[in-house]
Structure formats: C-alpha cells, structure tokens
Amino acid sequence: MIPSRDDQHWMYRNMVTSRKFEETIASIYFEGKTPVFSMADGPIPGEMHLSDGQEPVAVGVCAHLDADDVVTATHRPHHQAIAKGVDLNKMAAEIFGKETGLSGGRGGHMHLFDANVNFACSGIIAQGMGPAVGAALSRKMQKKHGVAVAFVGEGAVNQGGWHEAMNLAATWTLPFVCVIEDNAWGISVSKKDSTAISDNADRAAAYDIPGVHIADNDPYTIYSAAGEAIARARAGKGPSLIEVETYRLAGHFMGDAEGYRPEGEKDALFAKDPIPKMRDKMIADGVATIAELDAIETESAARVQAAIKFARESADPAPEDALTSVFA
C-alpha cells in the first residue's frame, strides 16, 4: 500500500509541524528555570517529554483515521495529537497551563484531551489500552463507525494491563489496533535489559491476531502496515498489533543528561532523522518539488508561532476555578 501524493504531503506537513512545535517548546521550556532549576517555574511548568524522531509512527497510522476514530497516546504525545488533528492553539495553551487550553490548563502536556477528534493521552504507562479497547467495544456494540488505536511504548507491553486489554480485544473481535513505539529506552533502561523477547510483535501470536514488526522507522512502511490493520478492524475481523522500531532524538525528558546512551548512539540517530529522509525521497520520486516542501515548512512554522502566541497571550486560570471539573 503506497500513500497517494496528497497523503504524502499530509504526512510530511504533520511531521514538520510536530518537529517545529517541539523545537519551539524546547526553546521556551527553560525560561524562568535557571540558574536554579525548578520544574514549577517558567511559562511551561512540569515535566516535558519530546517525541522528535518518532513522527513517522504518528503520521503513518493517523493518515488512515478520521475524527470518529479514537486514539489514546502516551506521556510523549505531541506528534500523535498533531497527526490526529488536535487543535494546535488549544494544545499549546494547555501546555502553558492557560484557561484557553484543551482542559483549561489542568492537564498539561501529558494529559491532552480533545473530544472533537477523539484524542486522549496519559502519563501512566499502558493506561490508554483499557479506554481504547472500551471505545472499540462501544462501537461494536452500537454498530457505530470507527476504530480505536492505542499507541504505547515498548515498556508498556510488560504491564499486566496491556495483556488484559489485548486479550479482551481479541476475544471480542474488536475494531482495535495497538501500535508499539519501540524507541529502545524505557527512561534509562534499555529494552534488551527489560524484555525477554526481541520483537514484541511476536506477542500477537498469544492472542491469535496479526503482528507486524517494522524495523526502520519508515513512514511508508508504517503507512502500509497501518492501512492493512485498520482496514481489517473496520471490516470486523478484529485487532492487530504493530511494532515500530523508532527512536527519540532527545532524552526521556527535558533536562535528561542521557548518560545511559552508548557513545555515538545519538549521532547515529540524527544521521537517520526521518524528516530530511522523507523530504529527499519525495523530491527524488517526483511527488513534491523543493518549492512545495519549502512552502510546507514555512506554513508549519507560521502555524506553530501563531499557536505559541495564542498560548502566551491567553489568560491564566482563575484561582477560584481550581476545583471546577474536579470530582470529589
């Protein structure tokens, strides 16, 4: 399955938008946090996890989804939120803790929620599995359109909740796809030191469902595998498991010294940066001109700057609203 010209342009646009968004967030994050670091200070409080390098997974999957389809994501969610169509202005405002944010500034970047496009994420490992499988069950029971996709990291696959959700999805033949983003590191613990098997896609056999392993972080291969899995789900044939060997070009969080990485690993990853690779391929294949891709990059940068401006200029939440929408 080869993405159309329009799909390739869409994929590249969303990859670039995600990267430019995160580069801008990274440049702002340490404002007010120096010379003595305090996570609570500055315009962006709290932890910050960047997904640069993992953009192909988001666009390769979300190119096949629409607003009715449900996506749950992890604590590293920006690329998936952007690819799913989450409002960028409200997303930026949420990260800045402003009242115009997706949740009025209450959730921050690890708990983005946009009901308009059925997107949610959580900072709890494997937490999105249950809600995604539940959404798939609701659609099957109500005979409604839509599939559910849960993005998880490779560390989540070792959680009990992951196995329970996969078992139910398979037992009930639900319209569900689990996508594992294997970036090789669970914080500072390597996959080889935490997981008994080399390919988590092999776990699909335990649930009698298809499992696909993608080794090269390639958006085209991901697009093809996701297209088949999502079509299978829409046809009522049940869930699939897709594992992608991707990589994060940054640390686990902003400020991570990354002393656990072997010498030379990051240089090798930057040499495989998927965005310039896709740009070169699109030009070589005649799918896009240099001018077209330059225009996409300019438009993406402008969109990001507009979202950041919106967030900075939005009002802080009123103190008296601190308990609004909180369940006691």
Side-chain angles (χ1 to χ4, degrees):
M1 183 182 296
I2 300 173
S4 67
R5 179 185 184 278
D6 286 347
D7 276 350
Q8 290 185 56
H9 280 240
W10 179 91
M11 291 163 69
Y12 186 74
R13 178 176 293 105
N14 281 279
M15 287 173 66
V16 169
T17 300
S18 179
R19 182 67 62 86
K20 290 185 180 297
F21 182 79
E22 293 204 321
E23 288 173 347
T24 305
I25 290 293
S27 70
I28 297 170
Y29 180 75
F30 285 104
E31 290 180 14
K33 293 184 173 69
T34 57
V36 179
F37 181 80
S38 172
M39 190 178 291
D41 291 340
I44 301 178
E47 282 190 306
M48 179 55 58
H49 306 83
L50 302 181
S51 58
D52 47 337
Q54 300 184 194
E55 299 94 345
V57 187
V59 299
V61 175
C62 291
H64 301 282
L65 303 178
D66 57 38
D68 290 333
D69 298 316
V70 172
V71 164
T72 63
T74 71
H75 59 282
R76 198 180 307 282
H78 302 151
H79 56 319
Q80 293 144 357
I82 289 170
K84 189 59 168 71
V86 170
D87 187 296
L88 194 62
N89 285 6
K90 292 181 179 180
M91 175 174 157
E94 184 63 31
I95 291 170
F96 277 71
K98 299 301 185 74
E99 68 174 7
T100 55
L102 292 166
S103 300
R106 294 173 176 82
H109 99 104
M110 287 189 283
H111 301 96
L112 304 172
F113 176 75
D114 190 343
N116 292 323
V117 295
N118 286 304
F119 179 88
C121 60
S122 172
I124 306 301
I125 305 302
Q127 192 278 335
M129 288 292 293
V133 169
L137 175 62
S138 74
R139 277 149 179 74
K140 180 174 182 176
M141 292 179 68
Q142 297 175 57
K143 296 180 172 57
K144 291 172 58 177
H145 169 76
V147 303
V149 177
F151 290 92
V152 299
E154 82 285 345
V157 185
N158 296 326
Q159 298 286 320
W162 185 87
H163 292 275
E164 293 169 9
M166 288 300 301
N167 181 62
L168 288 178
T171 299
W172 295 334
T173 320
L174 299 182
F176 171 74
V177 178
C178 177
V179 180
I180 304 168
E181 291 183 294
D182 175 10
N183 63 24
W185 293 100
I187 307 180
S188 60
V189 178
S190 70
K191 178 184 173 184
K192 63 182 176 58
D193 291 332
S194 65
T195 304
I197 58 175
S198 59
D199 295 346
N200 278 314
D202 292 345
R203 298 182 190 244
Y207 306 106
D208 195 26
I209 64 173
V212 178
H213 177 260
I214 299 171
D216 54 5
N217 200 35
D218 176 60
Y220 296 89
T221 309
I222 298 166
Y223 177 94
S224 178
E228 292 179 10
I230 291 167
R232 182 175 186 272
R234 293 198 195 284
K237 297 180 180 179
S240 300
L241 178 62
I242 300 172
E243 176 188 31
V244 182
E245 287 187 27
T246 185
Y247 38 82
R248 51 175 167 86
L249 299 175
H252 171 67
F253 54 84
M254 289 290 295
D256 181 2
E258 301 183 76
Y260 48 85
R261 288 194 192 263
E263 185 176 353
E265 179 181 279
K266 286 199 72 172
D267 290 339
L269 294 181
F270 274 103
K272 299 189 295 183
D273 189 331
I275 293 179
K277 283 181 65 176
M278 185 171 186
R279 177 187 170 98
D280 290 345
K281 179 174 172 55
M282 291 174 73
I283 293 169
D285 291 349
V287 175
T289 65
I290 293 174
E292 286 175 322
L293 298 181
D294 285 347
I296 286 174
E297 292 166 16
T298 299
E299 292 163 7
S300 294
R303 185 182 170 210
V304 167
Q305 290 305 316
I308 297 299
K309 184 175 185 291
F310 174 82
R312 284 193 184 270
E313 294 179 353
S314 292
D316 292 327
E320 57 269 25
D321 289 338
L323 299 181
T324 302
S325 301
V326 176
F327 294 93

